[in-house]
Amino acid sequence: MQKRNFRQLKKIMTLEELNKFCKKVTEEYAKYDHRFARTYFCEKYEVTVSCFYKILEYAVIENLVEDVTVQKMMNKAIENQCLHKNGAGSSSVLKYSRMYTKRYKNIATNMSEEEVRNIAKDFGDNPDIGKGDFASSYGVHPKVIDYILKRAIIENISDNNVVDAIEKRSIANAKNTQNVKEYFDTLRKVREENKKEISLK
């Protein structure tokens, strides 16, 4: 039987079916040891090699699987790479690093404005809580908090008082305060530009 590509999967499945399928394949891949790699899953689910990798990437970026599953996937990919080439694995780390970045941005992007507004205010109101603990209280990675705060500022979701509070605590916790100040200056410029665009509509 001819193997399916990712485009075909999207055609024959509803979004819910596609998400369930990608989640299932990805969790199985993470759970099994290195002997069960791409060839095994391509045969089992009748998908091309390219499709198999897109399934894994889709599950990671769309936040269909837990962080612990993604970590297992990365470890397995590194292990498989090292089996074929001694001392390899850096390209797998880089690949998963890019996927993680897309994943965290995606989580922040898909949040409602109300959620973003509340998290940003909570962050600004609680400078004594470290970012790691703060992120854990919301069940997300600290990088997600970074993207949420950035969105709250540049999209004018949070008011000026909240932005000031976020900047103040960020400077207080920074090793290099100048870099933080410059970063917030950049965000504020984008914030003002977006505000002007909104007023012109």
Side-chain angles (χ1 to χ4, degrees), residues 106-121:
N106 208 27
I107 293 169
T109 301
N110 289 329
M111 282 190 174
S112 68
E113 286 194 6
E114 186 180 359
E115 286 176 301
V116 170
R117 187 179 296 110
N118 291 338
I119 291 171
K121 187 175 186 311

Side-chain angles (χ1 to χ4, degrees), residues 29-47:
Y29 171 75
K31 185 172 67 176
Y32 296 163
D33 66 35
H34 66 84
R35 291 171 296 171
F36 298 91
R38 67 184 182 194
T39 305
Y40 170 81
F41 288 99
C42 288
E43 292 299 322
K44 180 177 180 180
Y45 290 106
E46 296 172 344
V47 294

Side-chain angles (χ1 to χ4, degrees), residues 63-64 82 96-97 106 113 130 132 155 165 178:
N63 197 33
L64 302 179
C82 288
Y96 273 85
S97 176
N106 208 27
E113 286 194 6
E155 293 182 18
Q178 188 58 37

Side-chain angles (χ1 to χ4, degrees), residues 41-175:
F41 288 99
C42 288
E43 292 299 322
K44 180 177 180 180
Y45 290 106
E46 296 172 344
V47 294
T48 63
V49 170
S50 172
C51 181
F52 170 68
Y53 285 122
K54 282 183 180 174
I55 287 168
L56 299 185
E57 187 173 357
Y58 180 82
V60 173
I61 293 170
E62 294 300 320
N63 197 33
L64 302 179
V65 292
E66 301 289 333
D67 273 349
V68 65
T69 300
V70 183
Q71 190 62 48
K72 285 179 182 176
M73 290 165 63
M74 184 171 73
N75 292 343
K76 183 173 179 178
I78 293 167
E79 188 179 356
N80 283 337
Q81 204 173 11
C82 288
L83 284 172
H84 294 98
K85 186 179 179 183
N86 192 31
S90 59
S91 62
S92 290
V93 172
L94 188 61
K95 178 185 172 185
Y96 273 85
S97 176
R98 288 178 184 142
M99 282 199 280
Y100 267 122
T101 298
K102 289 179 182 177
R103 173 185 175 89
Y104 297 146
K105 280 183 180 177
N106 208 27
I107 293 169
T109 301
N110 289 329
M111 282 190 174
S112 68
E113 286 194 6
E114 186 180 359
E115 286 176 301
V116 170
R117 187 179 296 110
N118 291 338
I119 291 171
K121 187 175 186 311
D122 195 14
F123 186 80
D125 287 345
N126 293 284
D128 296 330
I129 302 174
K131 192 191 289 181
D133 289 337
F134 182 85
S136 293
S137 72
Y138 279 96
V140 296
H141 191 277
K143 286 284 185 186
V144 176
I145 297 298
D146 289 338
Y147 290 121
I148 289 170
L149 298 179
K150 182 179 179 180
R151 193 180 154 206
I153 295 167
I154 67 173
E155 293 182 18
N156 288 278
I157 296 171
S158 296
D159 62 34
N160 289 335
N161 291 335
V162 172
V163 177
D164 290 343
I166 293 169
E167 182 175 9
K168 185 178 178 181
R169 74 163 280 173
S170 298
I171 289 171
N173 294 322
K175 290 177 182 176

